[in-house]
Amino acid sequence: MKITVTVNGEEYERDVEPRLLLVHFLRDDLDLTGTHWGCDTSNCGVCAVWLDGVPVKSCTVLAVMADGKNVRTVEDLERDGELDPVQKGFTECHGLQCGFCTPGMLMTSRWLLDHNPDPSDEEIRVAISGQLCRCTGYENIVRSVRWAAEHPTTWDLQEPDVTV
């Protein structure tokens, strides 16, 4: 099937198998390997991306379902050489260890802060509850998101460009 999808602001047109998962389309067809592939069952959340402004687990979305839509991946967090505050927070507060869950955590956390710039620790925990981290125990991840909330950049202070 022929699909046209905008990924990180760039439009792509490709012929894909109808059964191709979005995670594989991003990784294998577009070489965007920042989105990790973990469980293929939507349990771990490492493959989280935004589909028309909403976080989804790309292992449960077919690429053809993204036809005509906007996808945002972890590669799009950095702007003009400057890391997103969530990325900085994960570095500053040791929010990652092995790094496998990090792309999904970053995308989910960025979405949370775009919709709630000052979340409580409980709201952070609820937002990331669909992501599994096997290393950290989540304390440093929550601290990382809190750090990001306390250190917004100029683009954080703008209205999010969300299409729903």
Side-chain angles (χ1 to χ4, degrees), residues 69-123:
K69 298 186 183 302
N70 291 297
V71 175
R72 186 176 187 201
T73 70
V74 70
E75 286 90 351
D76 195 47
L77 289 180
E78 167 271 327
R79 301 255 175 105
D80 298 322
E82 183 180 351
L83 294 178
D84 184 275
V86 175
Q87 292 170 307
K88 290 180 188 176
F90 271 65
T91 301
E92 292 292 324
C93 300
H94 310 288
L96 60 97
Q97 286 186 15
C98 80
F100 195 69
C101 71
T102 304
M105 290 285 187
L106 292 172
M107 294 306 293
T108 302
S109 299
R110 175 76 271 148
W111 184 88
L112 170 65
L113 293 178
D114 283 352
H115 293 82
N116 181 356
D118 188 27
S120 68
D121 286 358
E122 180 61 26
E123 289 169 319

Side-chain angles (χ1 to χ4, degrees), residues 142-164:
V142 172
R143 283 189 200 105
S144 299
V145 179
R146 168 78 34 237
W147 187 96
E150 294 167 357
H151 297 86
T153 64
T154 54
W155 73 76
D156 284 330
L157 302 175
Q158 300 170 5
E159 282 293 314
D161 181 20
V162 177
T163 307
V164 180

Side-chain angles (χ1 to χ4, degrees), residues 15-36:
D15 285 316
V16 300
E17 290 288 328
R19 65 177 179 252
L20 181 68
L21 294 173
L22 181 58
V23 66
H24 297 304
F25 174 73
L26 295 170
R27 292 181 58 81
D28 301 337
D29 289 35
L30 302 185
D31 294 322
L32 295 172
T33 57
T35 301
H36 290 170

Side-chain angles (χ1 to χ4, degrees), residues 4-6 10 23 39 44 49 57 65 71 73 75 87 97 104 109 118-120 124-125 130 135 157 162:
T4 302
V5 60
T6 301
E10 188 171 336
V23 66
C39 65
C44 72
V49 299
K57 294 176 181 178
M65 296 167 74
V71 175
T73 70
E75 286 90 351
Q87 292 170 307
Q97 286 186 15
S109 299
D118 188 27
S120 68
I124 295 169
R125 288 180 183 282
C135 301
L157 302 175
V162 177

